[in-house]
Amino acid sequence: MELFFQTSLTFPVVLFSFMLCVAMLYWLTVALGAVDVDVLDAGGDGGMDDPSNAEGLGGLLMKLGLHDVPVTLVLTVLVFFAWLASYFTQLLLLSWLPLGLLRFPLGLVVIVLALAVAVPVTRLVVAPLRPLFRKALGSTTRSLLGQVVVVRSPLVSDRLGEAGMEDGGAGLI
C-alpha cells in the first residue's frame, strides 16, 4: 500500500491523482443530490451538429469523438484512464531511472502521452453510452418551424390561440 501511495503522489501521477480526487468528490455530491450530473453541460453543444465550427470544451470533445454524453462523465473517465497510464509508466519505468533534473520535462511528456492514450480508450468506453443519454435527455433533432398544425381555437392572434401538431407521439399543443 505504501508503494501505491508513493507512486500516486509522484510528479507526473500526482496531477491526475488530484483531478481524480476532485472527480470523486464531485460524484459524491451528485450522489447526495447537491448538484446535477450535467452541471458543466449548461450550454450543451449549442445545437451544433458540425464539429468543425464548435468552440470551447464542447467543441474539443466533439472533435475528439467524446460528445453526446455528459461532460462530467467524459472528463471523469478520461482522467481515470490518463491516471492509469501515468501511474503504470511511473511504476514500471520512471521509478527505475535515475532522472534527476530530467524528471520534470520527462514528466510533462508522460502527461501528454497519458492523455493521448486515454482519449481513444475513453472514446471506446463512452460510445456505448451515447444512445442511453440520447433517450434519457429526449433530445429532439427535428425543428418545429414550418410544420403543419391544426388550429383548435376560434380566434388566433399573436397573444391568443391554440394549435395541435401530431409528432408521432402524444402530440404537441
Side-chain angles (χ1 to χ4, degrees):
M1 195 66 151
E2 183 179 333
L3 180 62
F4 173 76
F5 285 120
Q6 181 181 2
T7 306
S8 295
L9 298 175
T10 312
F11 167 60
V13 186
V14 73
L15 294 175
F16 293 118
S17 296
F18 174 74
M19 288 189 278
L20 205 54
C21 287
V22 169
M24 289 186 332
L25 287 174
Y26 165 76
W27 287 110
L28 180 65
T29 58
V30 168
L32 293 174
V35 294
D36 197 14
V37 173
D38 56 353
V39 71
L40 292 180
D41 288 342
D45 62 27
M48 291 184 288
D49 296 327
D50 183 18
S52 64
N53 62 359
E55 297 176 353
L57 180 62
L60 178 64
L61 292 177
M62 284 181 72
K63 289 176 184 176
L64 294 175
L66 301 172
H67 52 82
D68 294 337
V69 178
V71 173
T72 51
L73 181 61
V74 169
L75 290 178
T76 302
V77 173
L78 182 71
V79 166
F80 173 72
F81 285 119
W83 180 86
L84 276 178
S86 65
Y87 177 84
F88 284 111
T89 302
Q90 171 64 33
L91 182 68
L92 301 174
L93 182 66
L94 296 181
S95 63
W96 300 101
L97 298 175
L99 296 174
L101 292 176
L102 290 176
R103 174 165 299 283
F104 292 106
L106 193 58
L108 292 174
V109 170
V110 168
I111 289 171
V112 170
L113 290 177
L115 286 170
V117 167
V119 167
V121 176
T122 303
R123 190 179 313 127
L124 287 174
V125 170
V126 168
L129 300 175
R130 286 185 187 139
L132 298 174
F133 284 103
R134 282 188 197 132
K135 286 181 185 177
L137 297 175
S139 61
T140 59
T141 57
R142 203 176 81 185
S143 175
L144 297 178
L145 292 176
Q147 297 295 319
V148 177
V149 297
V150 176
V151 177
R152 295 169 33 174
S153 62
L155 296 173
V156 177
S157 69
D158 60 341
R159 295 178 189 245
L160 180 69
E162 185 176 298
M165 183 183 93
E166 295 300 323
D167 64 346
L172 298 173
I173 298 176

